[in-house]
Amino acid sequence: MQTADIDVSAIPVTMRAAVYRGESVVSVEEIPTPAIGRGEILVRVEACGICHTDLKKIEYNLLDPPRIYGHETAGVVAAVGSDVTRFRPGDRVVAFHHIPCLNCFYCQRKFYAQCPVYKRVGITAGFEPAGGGFAQYVRVMDWIVERGVEKIPDGVSFERATLVEPLNTCLKAVVQCDPQPGDFVVVLGQGPIGLIFTMLARRTGARVAVTDTIPERLAIATRCGAEFAWDPRSVNLSAEIKKRTERRGADLVIVAASVPGIVQQAIACSRPGARILLFAQTSPAERIEASGADICAEERTLFGCYSASVDLQKESAALVFSGALPLEELISHRLPLVKICSGFDLALHPGPKSLKIIVQPQRWL
């Protein structure tokens, strides 16, 4: 595997970063380039995807400032600390910002996202660790270096590599849902995450129907494997699904968007005994109302899945790197760091042509 050219002596003392300052404000500033210690690596960030979990933290001021967000990070190893043997300057890598301890109560039961070590963010560009990918360099801490960094093969773009982490989160959920060949699966919402769900569900042999209010996203969903693609404002979703399932309803519904009433919609279009996955309901302020009979008497399973699985890390990387999925369909914008707030606005208010937005911190214009 080839490495990129890196002049370790050329690592700057300061760098540009998008710093969250509170009150939903993010500003591009010059700050010190992070120093690394034993067992750590410094990565020059070439691309970082904008994720809605970071946007929620910024929009609703969920964490104290200052912080540098961004966790879908791909780049080049710029320097390595003592005791690092698996990586060297010039290696092209993607890094996960959460890795579990593998020993605690939750890890033993494979609820990795609940592990106290997992909840500690292991990548920072400065300040309290928060991912740091919206900066030119990030410090990757030792426990992440040990188990949370994957090398990017030759010929794979940094932009594509940023999708390893989000794809892992979706793959974890699909494994948990366990759709069977012939199952009728509905994916509500066809943003980047919903589209990944569509691709992965189709790979299981399930029949896939999707919804979104943006026609262009429905067209992409069809190319990604959806058999049916509907705007829920213009069709009776429950009736359309029952028409195609011998009047039963969907076997599995994946809720990949967060709008009022969407969980009730998921229940309405599913059959008794169905599984309903909540994937986008991450805000503590969000409340869900449902009929007890819809869950209890009709024996539906309503459950959640959150974040990535270390068990699926290599599989998710292989899916992204191999080209087995049409992931390039997802990337709509590549923006320099100075335009990151425009990227946030695009992600929060998507238009016909906006999907996954990638920030390229080494670009200035």
Side-chain angles (χ1 to χ4, degrees), residues 76-193:
V76 179
V77 176
V80 301
S82 60
D83 294 344
V84 175
T85 58
R86 288 184 54 226
F87 304 101
R88 60 178 179 171
D91 283 344
R92 305 167 73 243
V93 297
V94 59
F96 285 76
H97 62 314
H98 291 299
I99 289 293
C101 73
L102 301 182
N103 297 315
C104 71
F105 174 92
Y106 290 108
C107 284
Q108 289 171 4
R109 290 156 179 79
K110 296 189 180 296
F111 288 104
Y112 298 125
Q114 311 309 318
C115 164
V117 172
Y118 188 95
K119 291 176 182 290
R120 290 172 54 202
V121 179
I123 302 180
T124 183
F127 312 113
E128 185 72 18
F134 300 147
Q136 292 186 302
Y137 289 86
V138 292
R139 169 191 164 209
V140 183
M141 298 176 200
D142 54 359
W143 77 94
I144 305 291
V145 173
E146 183 179 346
R147 293 195 306 273
V149 180
E150 300 289 336
K151 292 183 179 179
I152 303 170
D154 300 338
V156 176
S157 71
F158 290 112
E159 292 76 23
R160 186 181 182 93
T162 65
L163 296 169
V164 170
E165 192 272 348
L167 186 134
N168 184 308
T169 67
C170 296
L171 181 61
K172 173 187 172 183
V174 170
V175 169
Q176 188 172 330
C177 292
D178 193 27
Q180 299 298 304
D183 276 359
F184 199 96
V185 177
V186 178
V187 184
L188 303 181
Q190 289 296 281
I193 289 295

Side-chain angles (χ1 to χ4, degrees), residues 22 67 89 116 127 132 149 185 199 209 213 223 233 272 302 318 336 354 360:
R67 292 174 192 257
F127 312 113
V149 180
V185 177
M199 297 177 198
T213 58
R223 297 198 294 272
R233 301 171 301 181
L302 185 66
S354 61
Q360 297 173 313

